[in-house]
Amino acid sequence: MRSYSLLAPAKINLYLEILGDHVTGGDDSRPSGFHEMVMVLQSVSLSDRLHVRASGTDAIRVHCTHPQVPDDASNLAYRAAALMCKQFPDCFARYGGVDITIEKQIPVGAGLAGGSSNAAAVLVGLDLLWELGLTRDELQELGAVLGSDVPFCIAGGTALATGRGEQLDTLPALTNLSVVLAKYRSLSVSTAWAYTTYRQWFGDSYLRRGGDLEQRRQQVHASPMMAAIAQRDNSKIGQRLRNDLEKVVLPAHPQVLQLREAFQRFNPIGTMMSGSGPTVFALVESQAQAEALQDKVREAIANPDLELWIAKFNPSGIQIVK
Ligand code: ATP
């Protein structure tokens, strides 16, 4: 049986602005339950490794030893395989089901899109296994059915994401930055909780008129963060980091705020929570600086529950290993 191994990188948010409620298009436009976002997403080298193999049976099976990762139909990798079986019934009939093994390195429930990246890897892996020859756009369209971050995870690199996060514009690749990531092992934040709480607290200030939303999206295209990325000006990128979800996650989890402050004390280029947290990252310009910063933070917060990782900015998303 043929198999493929793939690397599925984590992502961080260099910018996350919530504009308002996302509405479905068309004449009967109504709230979709998602938010209308502007984000700058960046792949980093901290990656899960997935093995995708045609099983010859009619089952989809997920193997993962991580205690927080489900091995049933709720696993995003399983859902990606199920979607492919539904979309391509002839391939499913010919090749049978699929065995997916996930070697987890990306922390779970961390704001690093680990599950979304796993789903992206399964889409890419099955495209290869079934010799479908899907284009990147076609894979991303399938990914959008599974989750807002999945289309980005397929292509990776540096991208501006709008809509509910699935509409992507590629930005100039930022390859000369490293990142230190930190998370308390026992702390996870539910993405759904973070967005629901944000809506409760800040829903009054949401942009509601289509024209206002469009104007804000245009402003962001010409914003200082976009200019900093276009110029690959690392210190300006660091100054312009933004994450609206910090406004709900930091008050609820003071240890995340404390972690961010600990990073800040050692003057990285910039520091911010990623996605809905609770991972905090700090940007630096070299591996040596990353190692020094990691040591300092570990010394400043002598808590065995704190985990730290060093990663580089990644120019791409899912990569085939063999
Ligand atoms: P995002 O940044 O996209 O919100 P996250 O990094 O906060 O995602 P994930 O690690 O993707 O969160 O996992 C969130 C939840 O999804 C967890 O409760 C986990 O049990 C479940 N889950 C389902 N499939 C996976 C998977 N393949 N990998 C990790 N978690 C998964």
Side-chain angles (χ1 to χ4, degrees), residues 220-251:
V220 171
H221 274 282
S223 70
M225 180 52 123
M226 290 302 125
I229 290 172
Q231 293 156 11
R232 294 196 171 87
D233 184 328
N234 291 341
S235 71
K236 285 194 180 136
I237 291 170
Q239 286 158 20
R240 285 151 191 181
L241 298 174
R242 168 171 173 171
N243 184 347
D244 284 350
L245 290 173
E246 283 197 339
K247 290 189 248 173
V248 293
V249 178
L250 299 191

Side-chain angles (χ1 to χ4, degrees), residues 11 68-70 74-77 102 104 107-116 118 149 189 191 276-277:
K11 66 92 187 119
Q68 286 165 274
V69 177
S74 67
N75 191 300
L76 265 170
I102 304 171
K104 252 297 156 212
V108 176
L112 299 174
S116 300
N118 291 177
D149 283 341
V189 171
T191 304
S276 53

Side-chain angles (χ1 to χ4, degrees), residues 170-183:
T170 305
L171 296 174
L174 303 171
T175 46
N176 57 350
L177 278 166
S178 290
V179 61
V180 183
L181 301 148
K183 176 184 175 290

Side-chain angles (χ1 to χ4, degrees), residues 203-267:
D204 286 351
S205 61
Y206 282 6
L207 299 178
R208 298 195 190 278
R209 296 204 342 249
D212 293 342
L213 283 165
E214 189 46 38
Q215 192 185 18
R216 181 65 199 134
R217 273 193 293 266
Q218 291 311 322
Q219 283 168 352
V220 171
H221 274 282
S223 70
M225 180 52 123
M226 290 302 125
I229 290 172
Q231 293 156 11
R232 294 196 171 87
D233 184 328
N234 291 341
S235 71
K236 285 194 180 136
I237 291 170
Q239 286 158 20
R240 285 151 191 181
L241 298 174
R242 168 171 173 171
N243 184 347
D244 284 350
L245 290 173
E246 283 197 339
K247 290 189 248 173
V248 293
V249 178
L250 299 191
H253 300 287
Q255 63 273 55
V256 181
L257 174 62
Q258 181 207 28
L259 192 50
R260 200 176 172 307
E261 287 170 349
F263 270 126
Q264 193 62 61
R265 273 203 296 283
F266 302 114
N267 296 317

Side-chain angles (χ1 to χ4, degrees), residues 30-95:
R30 55 191 122 91
S32 65
F34 292 96
H35 278 90
E36 187 68 36
M37 312 289 299
V38 175
M39 297 188 283
V40 176
L41 302 170
Q42 174 64 53
S43 306
V44 297
S45 57
L46 175 66
S47 301
D48 292 339
R49 191 180 281 249
L50 281 87
H51 309 278
V52 179
R53 192 172 69 91
S55 69
T57 71
D58 61 359
I60 297 167
R61 284 189 299 247
V62 174
H63 313 272
C64 184
T65 54
H66 194 294
Q68 286 165 274
V69 177
D71 58 7
D72 59 13
S74 67
N75 191 300
L76 265 170
Y78 183 108
R79 289 182 46 216
L83 177 67
M84 290 293 276
C85 292
K86 188 169 152 234
Q87 289 291 315
F88 303 100
D90 293 351
C91 291
F92 181 44
R94 181 163 2 133
Y95 296 97

